[in-house]
Amino acid sequence: MSFPLAKFEPKPANMPRFAKALTTEQEDELRKIANAIVAPGKGILAADESVGSMGKRLEGIGVENTEENRRQYREVLFTTDASLAQNISGVILFHETLYQKDSNGTPFVKLLQDKGIIPGIKVDKGVVPLAGTNNECTTQGLDGLSERCAEYKKQGAQFAKWRCVLKINDNTPSYLAMIENANVLARYASICQQNGLVPIVEPEVLPDGTHDLRTAQKVTEQVLAFQYKALADHNVFLEGTLLKPNMVTAGQGCSTKFSHDQIAIATVKALSRGVPPAVPGITFLSGGQSEEDATINLDAINKYKGKFPWAITFSYGRALQASVLAAWKGKKENVAAAQAELIKRAKANGEACQGKYAGGVVGAAEGQSLFVAGHAY
């Protein structure tokens, strides 16, 4: 018995093989924003701590966690001298902070814009357990994200951030955790771009554990491979994105201590094997490193021999703010000293992202460990 062959119908000449996710104008806007954020000598101040996380910071200096105290602290940051913009290109805000004003009634967003600093916004809603895994997690917040992004864009935000976390132990990160978190980040990135926001993609491999440097490098390579496959699958415009990865460091409980140069080599190898050249920039998270270690490691990475296809800079929270908080202590008379700490730390990291940091910049939080086990925002 024979069957007739299916008739081949050629595709009309005017039908595209690949759908275009963004217009040329949208791509140009995203590319311009992304490149401005990673301009030479500049990086990001991550001031997007949630109410709970900010409460822990304030508790450390004996200040009550109220909306007014949180506002006052952010005012300290955002009313710092305009010279801050020489090294800070963007600031990531929390939802609450996006709508707040300084004591004179000026919106925080306008304060930043007037300094030439680009406002950004954290859009995820925190990590939650990932069922069927060994204490792994994913990040929630995709429901209603498009509407929120559209509103944030109207309020002046030009980029966004979403954090996922992966853990290293004998059995993790699992395949499920890597593919789930990669797809969540890719979906977020696509939604952001449709609404004119540059997505910062943050697949953080946590430093918790006893693993060595080689293990951290291999896991980071795996995570990046999953991530960029997912971004490709979701038709994300890479030239209009930024990556916020961990530096490759051994676990906090590892008995072997590795040098700054060893950390730099492992980090560069992982990035070179996993991040496409189309990505404009790498904006490292500090990952619980001390202020000085985060700066020295950034400098060592930028001093690594050879050329990178991407700008390599910082998106630091604790490593830019620890000395600010220590100097401020919730007192008006300490505002100038706290702002001086921010300028000093921003300048040090601005030098480090050009491989020009000489070291030795001491802050009010000198030597303080910033590591928080299982860190969640």
Side-chain angles (χ1 to χ4, degrees):
M1 184 176 181
S2 62
F3 296 93
L5 295 174
K7 186 178 180 181
F8 174 73
E9 296 288 347
K11 185 182 296 183
N14 61 349
M15 184 179 292
R17 172 66 178 85
F18 298 103
K20 190 171 175 61
L22 301 168
T23 65
T24 300
E25 292 74 19
Q26 286 176 310
E27 290 180 348
D28 289 345
E29 181 190 21
L30 293 167
R31 185 190 292 107
K32 182 179 179 181
I33 296 167
N35 285 327
I37 292 171
V38 294
K42 296 187 179 186
I44 298 170
L45 167 61
D48 59 327
E49 298 89 350
S50 65
V51 172
S53 292
M54 195 66 243
K56 295 174 184 175
R57 307 280 190 275
L58 294 177
E59 181 183 3
I61 58 171
V63 175
E64 185 182 0
N65 184 21
T66 65
E67 182 177 352
E68 175 56 19
N69 285 339
R70 293 191 298 273
R71 189 203 65 77
Q72 286 184 19
Y73 172 63
R74 265 61 182 263
E75 182 171 344
V76 171
L77 298 176
F78 306 151
T79 58
T80 297
D81 186 80
S83 62
L84 182 67
Q86 294 174 13
N87 302 115
I88 299 295
S89 57
V91 173
I92 309 172
L93 304 172
F94 184 60
H95 176 88
E96 173 185 81
T97 318
L98 183 73
Y99 297 92
Q100 289 178 327
K101 302 176 181 179
D102 71 4
S103 300
N104 296 318
T106 304
F108 284 161
V109 168
K110 188 174 189 308
L111 285 177
L112 296 172
Q113 291 171 332
D114 288 348
K115 288 181 173 67
I117 295 174
I118 303 170
I121 181 73
K122 171 190 171 181
V123 297
D124 72 71
K125 293 194 173 182
V127 297
V128 293
L130 180 59
T133 64
N134 182 18
N135 196 33
E136 295 180 281
C137 53
T138 186
T139 305
Q140 61 187 350
L142 288 176
D143 289 349
L145 179 59
S146 183
E147 292 78 9
R148 285 188 284 125
C149 285
E151 173 61 22
Y152 293 147
K153 181 75 173 181
K154 288 179 183 177
Q155 294 298 324
Q158 300 298 317
F159 68 99
K161 192 206 81 168
W162 181 294
R163 174 182 182 250
C164 285
V165 297
L166 298 111
K167 305 173 183 179
I168 298 179
N169 64 33
D170 291 344
N171 302 302
T172 65
S174 64
Y175 176 88
L176 175 59
M178 288 189 287
I179 198 167
E180 159 66 14
N181 283 288
N183 278 302
V184 165
L185 280 164
R187 182 71 183 127
Y188 137 81
S190 175
I191 293 170
C192 282
Q193 291 191 334
Q194 292 295 327
N195 287 281
L197 298 177
V198 168
I200 294 181
V201 177
E202 183 178 357
E204 178 181 3
V205 179
L206 292 176
D208 306 52
T210 60
H211 54 275
D212 62 11
L213 191 65
R214 182 177 182 278
T215 300
Q217 179 188 326
K218 298 305 291 185
V219 170
T220 299
E221 289 175 8
Q222 280 187 312
V223 168
L224 291 174
F226 274 82
Q227 188 58 69
Y228 281 97
K229 174 61 165 64
L231 290 168
D233 289 343
H234 285 260
N235 299 313
V236 172
F237 177 60
L238 293 184
E239 291 86 343
T241 67
L242 295 170
L243 177 69
K244 182 172 179 174
N246 52 282
M247 293 181 189
V248 175
T249 60
Q252 286 286 326
C254 181
S255 58
T256 303
K257 300 305 175 186
F258 297 89
S259 70
H260 299 297
D261 285 342
Q262 288 174 310
I263 289 170
I265 291 169
T267 301
V268 170
K269 284 182 178 179
L271 294 176
S272 297
R273 292 168 180 173
V275 183
V279 177
I282 310 294
T283 62
F284 282 112
L285 57 91
S286 55
Q289 301 176 79
S290 70
E291 288 181 330
E292 186 69 349
D293 278 344
T295 306
I296 293 173
N297 283 332
L298 178 62
D299 184 70
I301 291 167
N302 277 288
K303 280 188 168 83
Y304 184 84
K305 59 184 179 182
K307 293 184 178 180
F308 307 124
W310 350 263
I312 293 185
T313 186
F314 59 93
S315 178
Y316 289 168
R318 288 168 286 172
L320 278 173
Q321 296 182 59
S323 286
V324 179
L325 282 162
W328 178 54
K329 295 184 174 69
K331 299 177 181 179
K332 289 184 179 180
E333 60 267 29
N334 293 337
V335 167
Q339 292 176 334
E341 292 287 351
L342 179 58
I343 289 176
K344 180 168 61 177
R345 205 71 246 167
K347 184 175 185 294
N349 285 295
E351 293 170 353
C353 66
Q354 300 176 88
K356 298 178 180 178
Y357 181 57
V361 174
V362 178
E366 180 186 3
Q368 180 181 329
S369 173
L370 305 180
F371 172 68
V372 178
H375 179 53
Y377 292 129

